[in-house]
Amino acid sequence: MSRAIVLVLDSFGIGAAPDAATFGDEGSDTLGHIAAACARGEADNANRSGPLKLPNMAKLGLFHAHRDATGSVAEGVTLPESLEGAYAHAKEISSGKDTPSGHWEIAGVPVRFDWGYFLDKTDSFPLELLDAIVQEADLTGVIGNCHASGTEIIARLGEEHIATGKPIVYTSADSVFQIAAHEEHFGLERLYKLCETVRELLEPYNIGRVIARPFIGEDSNTFARTGNRRDYSVEPPAPTVLQKLDDAGGEVVSIGKIADIYAHCGITHKVKASGHDALMDATLNEIERTSQRGFDKKNQGERAMIMTNFVDFDSVYGHRRDVPGYAAALEDFDAQLPKLLAALSEDDLLILTADHGCDPSWHGTEHTREYIPILVHGPGFTPGSLGERGTFADIGQTLADFFLLPAMADGTSFLPDAA
């Protein structure tokens, strides 16, 4: 039997990609700038203090990968004397630096076409689109219609939304249409239905995602987004490694927002969880559940992939430019890794990676075009460097190789011959 666990640390970039200047991101470095702030005492708070402490990811090669990507060791970091995993840094070949592009490329399907975008900072959406949404969804109107941070626009317009019943619509530098609405005053199911309507109306605009952003609270001081977010993505342009595994009779477990990102294509078992602790617990539960089915090499017919997205790195800390919060979240995640490693069998393949950067020290509030880490622990891998990978799709190709699936069109496998 073959089993792979893929953990995506959403937005955890490790240094500006070669084409970062094209995106206005030359000099960005999510990991490096967080480490530097910690080393200088600029990320001390009630939850953490001092240099960035990630001993378990360090043993898997995280800081070695960052050094190779940037040319220097992160500030305040001492490289471990020995490693327990293989590591690499990978660049993106997809046209964007958004979540679907990064995840699809990880799964072996780069995005070579250009997404549609709403570029105007104010009056962002075409009037004919808004008119169609209002008519089709039987609304009295919408508010927002601009580029905005989700928490900021809810604080600013949430009370007006409750008073008028008009949903808050906004976008960003990504190919996205976001809709915020109150779970009780507007209704959660009504919000989901509205997003489905908008998804259909956006077809001519080639927009990657519609995101439902439900919130609770009664005023700007108490508004808070909930864990009932839902993403409505278009389907990947070609079968991902998830779909190929599903087609071959394998099990594909999505935890968190993974299923939404892949438009539920290739997902056989969906687990909902919100918050990093809950996501890790769900991952451990799925490892235990699948372990009970005898996942070992004596049962070659059984194949399973567990994929988890740790979204708070991006949505709670990266976009909100919260360096101390990002650092504390990384340290909390790292502290839970031994528990996960202990749950694995000797035949399991573990891959830790990311989908793009979101440097919390960077200007603006958007993603950053960066290298991502690939940290690998599994059978046949010798601790050390796997070099620079020319595309995130090397991960998908490696998974196809590991599961004995037909090769992907893109990517080069880094699976050892003996695995």
Side-chain angles (χ1 to χ4, degrees), residues 133-134 136-142 161-162 164-167 179-198 212 214 230 232:
I133 292 170
V134 168
E136 291 290 327
D138 193 24
L139 301 171
T140 58
V142 297
H161 159 69
I162 292 173
T164 65
K166 298 177 181 179
I179 308 175
H182 198 281
E183 283 199 0
E184 297 167 358
H185 292 285
F186 190 84
L188 185 59
E189 293 303 320
R190 186 184 177 199
L191 172 59
Y192 291 159
K193 184 175 176 59
L194 171 59
C195 288
E196 292 170 4
T197 299
V198 174
R230 188 172 292 180
Y232 298 80

Coordinates of all heavy atoms in Angstrom, one line a residue, residues 133-134 136-142 161-162 164-167 179-198 212 214 230 232:
I133 N -26.3 40.4 -11.0 CA -26.3 39.8 -9.7 C -27.5 40.2 -8.9 O -28.2 39.4 -8.3 CB -25.0 40.1 -8.9 CG1 -23.8 39.4 -9.6 CG2 -25.0 39.6 -7.5 CD1 -22.4 39.9 -9.1
V134 N -27.8 41.5 -8.8 CA -28.9 42.0 -8.1 C -30.2 41.4 -8.6 O -31.1 41.0 -7.8 CB -28.9 43.5 -8.1 CG1 -30.2 44.1 -7.6 CG2 -27.8 44.1 -7.4
E136 N -30.6 38.5 -10.5 CA -30.7 37.1 -10.4 C -30.9 36.6 -9.0 O -31.5 35.6 -8.7 CB -29.5 36.5 -11.0 CG -29.3 36.6 -12.5 CD -30.4 35.7 -13.3 OE1 -30.7 34.6 -12.7 OE2 -30.8 36.2 -14.3
A137 N -30.3 37.3 -8.0 CA -30.3 36.9 -6.6 C -31.4 37.6 -5.8 O -31.5 37.4 -4.6 CB -28.9 37.2 -6.0
D138 N -32.2 38.5 -6.5 CA -33.3 39.2 -5.9 C -32.8 40.0 -4.7 O -33.3 39.9 -3.6 CB -34.4 38.2 -5.4 CG -35.7 38.9 -5.0 OD1 -35.9 40.0 -5.5 OD2 -36.4 38.3 -4.2
L139 N -31.8 40.8 -5.0 CA -31.2 41.7 -3.9 C -31.7 43.1 -4.1 O -32.1 43.5 -5.2 CB -29.7 41.7 -4.0 CG -29.0 40.4 -3.9 CD1 -27.5 40.5 -4.2 CD2 -29.1 39.9 -2.4
T140 N -31.6 43.9 -3.1 CA -31.9 45.4 -3.2 C -30.7 46.2 -3.7 O -30.8 47.4 -4.0 CB -32.5 45.9 -1.9 OG1 -31.5 45.7 -0.9 CG2 -33.8 45.3 -1.5
G141 N -29.6 45.5 -3.7 CA -28.3 46.2 -4.1 C -27.1 45.5 -3.4 O -27.3 44.5 -2.7
V142 N -26.0 46.1 -3.6 CA -24.8 45.6 -3.0 C -24.0 46.8 -2.5 O -24.2 47.9 -2.9 CB -23.9 44.7 -3.9 CG1 -24.6 43.5 -4.4 CG2 -23.4 45.6 -5.1
H161 N -24.4 46.8 6.2 CA -24.9 45.6 5.6 C -26.1 45.1 6.4 O -27.2 44.7 5.9 CB -23.8 44.5 5.6 CG -24.3 43.1 5.5 ND1 -24.9 42.6 4.4 CD2 -24.2 42.1 6.5 CE1 -25.2 41.3 4.6 NE2 -24.8 41.0 5.9
I162 N -26.0 45.1 7.7 CA -27.1 44.6 8.6 C -28.3 45.5 8.4 O -29.5 45.0 8.3 CB -26.6 44.5 10.1 CG1 -25.6 43.4 10.2 CG2 -27.8 44.3 11.0 CD1 -24.9 43.4 11.6
T164 N -29.2 47.4 5.9 CA -29.8 47.5 4.5 C -30.1 46.1 3.9 O -30.9 46.0 3.0 CB -28.9 48.2 3.6 OG1 -27.6 47.5 3.4 CG2 -28.6 49.6 4.1
G165 N -29.4 45.1 4.4 CA -29.6 43.7 3.9 C -28.7 43.5 2.6 O -28.8 42.5 2.0
K166 N -27.9 44.5 2.2 CA -27.1 44.4 1.0 C -25.8 43.7 1.3 O -25.1 44.2 2.2 CB -26.9 45.8 0.4 CG -28.1 46.6 0.0 CD -27.8 48.0 -0.5 CE -29.1 48.7 -0.9 NZ -28.8 50.1 -1.3
P167 N -25.4 42.7 0.6 CA -24.2 42.0 0.8 C -23.0 42.9 0.5 O -23.1 43.8 -0.4 CB -24.2 40.8 -0.1 CG -25.2 41.1 -1.1 CD -26.2 42.1 -0.5
I179 N -17.6 37.8 -1.3 CA -18.9 38.3 -0.8 C -19.0 38.0 0.7 O -18.9 36.9 1.2 CB -20.1 37.6 -1.4 CG1 -20.0 37.6 -3.0 CG2 -21.4 38.2 -1.0 CD1 -21.1 36.9 -3.7
A180 N -19.1 39.1 1.5 CA -19.2 39.0 3.0 C -20.7 39.3 3.4 O -21.3 40.2 2.8 CB -18.3 40.0 3.6
A181 N -21.2 38.5 4.3 CA -22.5 38.6 4.7 C -22.7 38.0 6.1 O -22.0 37.1 6.5 CB -23.5 38.0 3.8
H182 N -23.6 38.6 6.9 CA -23.8 38.1 8.3 C -24.5 36.8 8.3 O -25.5 36.6 7.6 CB -24.6 39.2 9.0 CG -24.5 39.1 10.5 ND1 -25.2 38.1 11.2 CD2 -23.8 39.8 11.4 CE1 -25.0 38.2 12.5 NE2 -24.1 39.2 12.7
E183 N -24.0 35.9 9.1 CA -24.6 34.5 9.1 C -26.0 34.5 9.5 O -26.8 33.7 9.1 CB -23.8 33.6 10.1 CG -22.5 33.1 9.5 CD -21.9 31.9 10.2 OE1 -22.6 31.5 11.2 OE2 -20.9 31.5 9.8
E184 N -26.4 35.4 10.5 CA -27.8 35.4 11.0 C -28.7 36.4 10.3 O -29.8 36.1 9.8 CB -27.8 35.6 12.5 CG -27.0 34.6 13.3 CD -26.7 35.0 14.7 OE1 -27.0 36.1 15.1 OE2 -26.1 34.2 15.4
H185 N -28.2 37.6 10.1 CA -29.1 38.7 9.6 C -29.3 38.4 8.1 O -30.4 38.7 7.6 CB -28.4 40.0 9.8 CG -28.4 40.5 11.2 ND1 -29.5 40.9 11.8 CD2 -27.4 40.5 12.1 CE1 -29.2 41.3 13.1 NE2 -27.9 41.0 13.3
F186 N -28.3 37.9 7.4 CA -28.4 37.7 5.9 C -28.7 36.2 5.7 O -29.6 35.8 4.9 CB -27.1 38.0 5.2 CG -27.3 38.0 3.7 CD1 -27.8 39.1 3.0 CD2 -26.9 36.9 3.0 CE1 -27.9 39.0 1.6 CE2 -27.0 36.8 1.6 CZ -27.5 37.9 0.9
G187 N -28.1 35.3 6.5 CA -28.3 33.9 6.4 C -27.1 33.2 5.6 O -26.7 33.6 4.6
L188 N -26.6 32.1 6.3 CA -25.5 31.4 5.7 C -25.8 30.7 4.4 O -25.1 30.8 3.4 CB -24.9 30.4 6.7 CG -23.7 29.7 6.3 CD1 -22.5 30.6 6.1 CD2 -23.3 28.7 7.4
E189 N -27.0 30.0 4.4 CA -27.4 29.3 3.2 C -27.7 30.3 2.0 O -27.4 30.0 0.9 CB -28.5 28.4 3.4 CG -28.2 27.2 4.4 CD -27.1 26.3 3.8 OE1 -27.0 26.1 2.6 OE2 -26.2 25.9 4.6
R190 N -28.3 31.4 2.4 CA -28.5 32.4 1.4 C -27.2 33.0 0.8 O -27.2 33.2 -0.4 CB -29.4 33.6 2.0 CG -29.8 34.6 1.0 CD -30.5 35.7 1.7 NE -30.9 36.8 0.8 CZ -31.2 38.0 1.1 NH1 -31.2 38.4 2.4 NH2 -31.6 38.9 0.2
L191 N -26.2 33.1 1.6 CA -24.9 33.6 1.1 C -24.3 32.5 0.2 O -23.8 32.9 -0.9 CB -24.0 33.8 2.3 CG -22.5 34.1 2.0 CD1 -22.4 35.3 1.1 CD2 -21.7 34.2 3.2
Y192 N -24.4 31.3 0.5 CA -23.9 30.2 -0.3 C -24.6 30.2 -1.7 O -24.0 30.1 -2.8 CB -24.0 28.9 0.3 CG -23.1 28.6 1.5 CD1 -23.5 27.6 2.4 CD2 -22.0 29.3 1.7 CE1 -22.6 27.4 3.5 CE2 -21.2 29.1 2.8 CZ -21.5 28.1 3.7 OH -20.7 27.9 4.8
K193 N -25.9 30.4 -1.6 CA -26.7 30.4 -2.9 C -26.4 31.6 -3.7 O -26.3 31.5 -5.0 CB -28.2 30.4 -2.5 CG -29.1 30.3 -3.8 CD -30.6 30.2 -3.3 CE -31.5 30.2 -4.6 NZ -31.2 29.1 -5.5
L194 N -26.1 32.7 -3.1 CA -25.7 33.9 -3.8 C -24.4 33.7 -4.5 O -24.2 34.1 -5.7 CB -25.6 35.1 -2.8 CG -25.0 36.4 -3.4 CD1 -25.7 36.9 -4.6 CD2 -24.9 37.5 -2.3
C195 N -23.4 33.0 -3.8 CA -22.1 32.8 -4.4 C -22.2 31.8 -5.6 O -21.5 32.0 -6.6 CB -21.2 32.1 -3.4 SG -20.6 33.3 -2.1
E196 N -23.1 30.9 -5.5 CA -23.4 30.0 -6.7 C -23.9 30.8 -7.9 O -23.5 30.5 -9.0 CB -24.3 28.9 -6.3 CG -23.8 27.9 -5.2 CD -24.8 27.0 -4.7 OE1 -26.0 27.0 -5.2 OE2 -24.5 26.2 -3.8
T197 N -24.8 31.7 -7.6 CA -25.3 32.5 -8.7 C -24.2 33.4 -9.3 O -24.1 33.5 -10.5 CB -26.4 33.5 -8.1 OG1 -27.5 32.7 -7.6 CG2 -26.9 34.4 -9.2
V198 N -23.4 34.0 -8.5 CA -22.3 34.8 -9.0 C -21.3 34.0 -9.7 O -20.7 34.4 -10.8 CB -21.6 35.6 -7.8 CG1 -20.4 36.3 -8.3 CG2 -22.6 36.5 -7.1
A212 N -17.2 32.9 -0.3 CA -18.2 33.3 0.7 C -17.5 33.6 2.0 O -16.7 32.8 2.5 CB -19.2 32.2 0.9
P214 N -18.6 34.6 5.5 CA -19.6 34.8 6.5 C -19.0 35.4 7.8 O -17.8 35.1 8.1 CB -20.2 33.5 6.8 CG -19.2 32.5 6.4 CD -18.4 33.2 5.3
R230 N -16.5 29.5 2.3 CA -16.5 28.5 1.2 C -16.0 29.1 -0.1 O -16.4 30.2 -0.4 CB -18.0 28.0 1.1 CG -18.1 26.8 0.1 CD -19.5 26.2 0.1 NE -19.8 25.6 1.4 CZ -21.0 25.0 1.7 NH1 -22.0 25.0 0.7 NH2 -21.2 24.4 2.8
Y232 N -15.7 28.9 -4.2 CA -16.3 28.3 -5.4 C -15.3 28.5 -6.6 O -15.2 29.6 -7.2 CB -17.6 29.0 -5.7 CG -18.6 28.8 -4.6 CD1 -18.6 29.5 -3.4 CD2 -19.6 27.8 -4.7 CE1 -19.5 29.3 -2.4 CE2 -20.5 27.6 -3.7 CZ -20.4 28.3 -2.5 OH -21.3 28.1 -1.5

